Amino acid sequence: MNAYPSRRASLMLAAFCCACPAARAAVLDDGKGSLELRNFYFDRDFHGDTASQSRRGEWAQGFMLKWQSGFSEGPVGFGLDAVGMLGVKLDSSPERSGTGLLPRGSDKRATDEYAKAVATFKAKGSQSELQVGGLSPQLPLLASNYSRLFPQWFRGAQLQSRELAGLTFTWLRVDATTLRDSTDFEALTAMAQQGAYAASVTTDRLYYAGADYQPLNNLTVSLHASVLQDLFRRDFAGFKYRLALGLGEAFTEWRWFNAREQGKALLGQVDNRTLSTNFGYSLGGHTVSGGYQKVSGDTAYAYVGGTDTYLFSEQQVSTFALQNERAWMLRYDYNFAALGLPGLIFNVRYVKGDQVDPQHVATVKGRALAARGGVGEEWERTTDLGYVVQSGVFRNVSLRWRNASMRSNFADGADENRVIVGYTLNF
C-alpha cells in the first residue's frame, strides 16, 4: 500500500533525530501513543421485494495503534505521526457481507483479516502546521467517514494556519483515498446518490481552501471552496451562533452548499444548491434541536465518495439529499450526568423527507413511482444509547447501541442495529 510520507522523508527525519539529540528528545520524548480497540456488530435488515440483498450482518474486531510525535526544536519543528490498523473477522457470510466492516472479494466472501498503515510527516512554525501523508480531515467539504472500524484516509498535503487572531485558514490537496473497509489507496470519485452520479468516474486531484473566522467566542462564520478536478466544484458558507438564554443556552447553525460541474465535466451535469439548518436549546441535561433542509437545482447533493455529507439530515441509512428533496429534522439528547449518572447519554432523531423527484432515482421502486407520476417520500428514526464506564477494572470502556428504522416509497426500507464496544489505552 502506498502512503505518505515517502520512505525518503521518513529516513531523513530519522537521520535528523539521530544527529541531533535535542531533536530526538523533542520528537520522541514529547510523543504520545494509543491503542484503540473497537468491537463492532452491524446488522441491517432490508424491507422490500426489490432488495438485491435481504440482510447485511457482520461482526468484527478492530485494532488501531497510533503514534504522534512531538516537534523538533527550532523556528520550524518537524515530526512524524503513524497509524497502524488491523481488522479481524469474527462473523460473516457471503449472504450477509457488504456492511463496510470488512473487505470482500468478487465471491462476496469477507477476508479473515486486513491491515493497513499510514504515516504523516509534519512541520510546525509559529501558528501554522503542514502535514504531508495520511490525512483524515473533518471539513465541511471533505469529512472523513468513521462510522465503521477505521476512519477513511486521504493521501495528500494540508496546511492549517492560525497566524491571525480568530481566523483559521485551511489549504488542502489530496490525490487518493483509502475507504473504511479497504487496504489500498484508490482514485477519488463522487457518491452515487441513488444513481444521480456515476461512481465509476474517477479523478486524482482535489483542491481545497477554507477560512473560519471567530470574532466572538460564541460566533463562527466560514467560507470554504473545493474542486474535485474534472468532476465538480463546491462552495460552502456556514454560520454558528450560541447565546445564553434564561437558565440554558440557545444555538443555531446554518450550512449552505453550492455545486456545479468543473473542467471536463466527466460526471455530466452537476447543478445543486443545498441549505441545511439547525436550531436548538439546552437546559440541564436536556437538549432539543431541529431544522429544515432543502435541496435545489437539477441534480442531487454532490459530495466526495466515501465521505460524510456534513448535512444535519444524514442518518444511519439515508442522507435525505436527493434532487429537489425537502427534509425536516427533530432531535432530543439527554446527558444522565444531570441525574448523577455520568458517562450515560441518549439521543433520538427523526427526519422526514419529501418532494423527491423519482425521475432521478435509479431504483426499481423509483422508476415505478416516476411512471405513476408520484412524488418521493422517506423517513428515518434513529436512537443512540451510549455509556462510558467511569471507574473500576473496566474504567473508560465504552458501550454504544445504535438502532434505526427507515422507510421510503422509492427505495428499499431497512431496520438496523449497531453495537460497538470500545477501549483506548494511552501510553
Side-chain angles (χ1 to χ4, degrees):
M1 182 193 71
N2 295 320
Y4 280 113
S6 67
R7 185 181 179 187
R8 175 181 294 182
S10 301
L11 291 174
M12 287 175 62
L13 181 65
F16 175 66
C17 291
C18 290
C20 181
R24 182 173 65 247
V27 172
L28 299 180
D29 296 348
D30 294 343
K32 57 183 179 180
S34 66
L35 174 62
E36 181 180 338
L37 310 178
R38 204 174 208 200
N39 188 281
F40 206 124
Y41 172 79
F42 182 105
D43 182 87
R44 181 179 290 180
D45 183 19
F46 291 95
H47 297 272
D49 298 333
T50 62
S52 60
Q53 189 173 351
S54 63
R55 181 180 170 222
R56 291 179 182 172
E58 293 181 308
W59 183 25
Q61 174 67 50
F63 304 86
M64 185 159 60
L65 182 64
K66 295 182 181 180
W67 170 258
Q68 292 179 292
S69 79
F71 289 93
S72 62
E73 296 180 355
V76 178
F78 299 95
L80 181 67
D81 296 343
V83 181
M85 292 153 279
L86 172 66
V88 179
K89 179 179 71 177
L90 299 178
D91 180 61
S92 178
S93 73
E95 296 77 22
R96 295 183 282 110
S97 64
T99 65
L101 290 177
L102 299 161
R104 60 175 178 171
S106 57
D107 60 356
K108 296 187 177 182
R109 292 185 180 277
T111 59
D112 291 334
E113 61 183 41
Y114 65 109
K116 52 186 172 181
V118 295
T120 309
F121 173 77
K122 58 187 182 181
K124 185 175 183 179
S126 185
Q127 297 300 311
S128 298
E129 182 175 338
L130 173 68
Q131 295 180 321
V132 180
L135 307 172
S136 190
Q138 288 297 318
L139 299 167
L141 300 177
L142 194 67
S144 172
N145 186 299
Y146 191 14
S147 60
R148 298 296 190 272
L149 281 184
F150 307 120
Q152 177 185 16
W153 292 92
F154 292 90
R155 188 178 66 189
Q158 174 180 292
L159 174 65
Q160 195 165 71
S161 175
R162 296 184 175 89
E163 300 294 340
L164 300 177
L167 179 64
T168 299
F169 173 76
T170 302
W171 175 87
L172 186 74
R173 194 199 83 164
V174 300
D175 58 26
T177 184
T178 178
L179 301 177
R180 59 196 183 188
D181 59 348
S182 175
T183 59
D184 298 316
F185 277 101
E186 54 195 71
L188 305 166
T189 187
M191 288 295 285
Q193 281 285 66
Q194 296 281 13
Y197 303 111
S200 59
V201 176
T202 62
T203 182
D204 62 357
R205 286 291 185 275
L206 181 141
Y207 299 96
Y208 194 114
D212 301 281
Y213 181 52
Q214 191 174 10
L216 303 170
N217 289 335
N218 60 343
L219 172 64
T220 302
V221 291
S222 303
L223 290 174
H224 292 237
S226 70
V227 171
L228 191 57
Q229 186 170 283
D230 292 328
L231 274 66
F232 55 72
R233 169 177 174 162
R234 289 211 294 160
D235 302 308
F236 167 81
F239 169 86
K240 291 191 292 187
Y241 183 65
R242 309 184 74 91
L243 176 69
L245 185 63
L247 298 177
E249 182 180 59
F251 57 90
T252 185
E253 183 169 357
W254 296 57
R255 299 173 178 176
W256 180 83
F257 303 83
N258 180 44
R260 55 199 179 277
E261 62 266 22
Q262 191 274 336
K264 297 178 182 178
L266 299 178
L267 276 179
Q269 183 185 29
V270 178
D271 175 45
N272 177 263
R273 290 162 298 283
T274 300
L275 174 67
S276 189
T277 67
N278 188 47
F279 305 84
Y281 185 75
S282 296
L283 177 64
H286 305 274
T287 299
V288 178
S289 60
Y292 170 79
Q293 180 174 293
K294 178 60 180 175
V295 178
S296 304
D298 295 329
T299 61
Y301 180 76
Y303 62 112
V304 179
T307 63
D308 289 332
T309 64
Y310 205 69
L311 296 173
F312 289 112
S313 65
E314 183 173 2
Q315 296 280 81
Q316 289 183 204
V317 181
S318 180
T319 61
F320 295 87
L322 298 177
Q323 196 270 335
N324 204 49
E325 187 162 11
R326 177 182 66 176
W328 298 91
M329 293 85 73
L330 184 63
R331 174 171 177 158
Y332 171 72
D333 292 77
Y334 187 70
N335 188 334
F336 285 83
L339 291 179
L341 295 171
L344 181 62
I345 58 172
F346 168 81
N347 73 63
V348 58
R349 295 172 288 162
Y350 180 81
V351 181
K352 175 67 166 64
D354 59 16
Q355 298 184 351
V356 176
D357 184 353
Q359 297 278 359
H360 301 270
V361 179
T363 65
V364 174
K365 291 179 70 175
R367 291 193 292 268
L369 183 63
R372 299 194 302 269
V375 177
E377 298 181 350
E378 59 178 335
W379 62 264
E380 185 170 345
R381 185 268 313 144
T382 302
T383 58
D384 204 328
L385 181 65
Y387 179 64
V388 178
V389 179
Q390 301 295 296
S391 61
V393 176
F394 299 104
R395 183 174 182 268
N396 293 329
V397 171
S398 64
L399 304 97
R400 188 176 186 184
W401 171 49
R402 307 191 71 190
N403 172 267
S405 292
M406 175 270 194
R407 297 294 183 269
S408 167
N409 66 351
F410 59 84
D412 295 314
D415 292 318
E416 182 181 292
N417 283 285
R418 305 180 189 183
V419 179
I420 309 163
V421 181
Y423 178 72
T424 299
L425 174 65
N426 297 307
F427 54 88

